[in-house]
Amino acid sequence: TTECEEAQVGNCAPFQGSCSDCCGAAAQVTGCDMEATALYECFSSTASPCDADCTMEADAAQTCITNYCLQNLQSPECQTLIGCAG
């Protein structure tokens, strides 16, 4: 969540809301591990997450999570993520 907090400070986080809540909920989404890992590695690849161009990785993760949550809207992780969309 350090990368998330740094990204929010730099105004480049892919979501609003609590980093621990939002990242935790995103990690609970089944089937998006590869996309989440790629996004994390991208954000971690530079001194500041905001220096990295992670648009492709962020889009892939968001698409995967959105598709999952459209089918599992009542799941706790998706209810949390709705609040993260900001």
Side-chain angles (χ1 to χ4, degrees):
T1 59
T2 301
E3 287 79 9
C4 170
E5 289 161 1
E6 289 176 3
Q8 284 188 334
V9 168
N11 205 26
C12 68
F15 52 75
Q16 304 301 312
S18 161
C19 284
S20 58
D21 289 349
C22 296
C23 289
Q28 297 296 315
V29 171
T30 306
C32 297
D33 295 348
M34 287 188 340
E35 291 84 353
T37 299
L39 180 59
Y40 174 78
E41 288 175 353
C42 180
F43 275 138
S44 302
S45 67
T46 59
S48 166
C50 295
D51 292 339
D53 179 7
C54 301
T55 306
M56 189 173 72
E57 292 85 351
D59 286 349
Q62 184 174 8
T63 297
C64 184
I65 290 169
T66 299
N67 289 339
Y68 173 86
C69 285
L70 285 174
Q71 297 173 14
N72 300 279
L73 197 54
Q74 297 307 315
S75 67
E77 60 271 25
C78 292
Q79 289 297 308
T80 299
L81 287 166
I82 289 168
C84 298

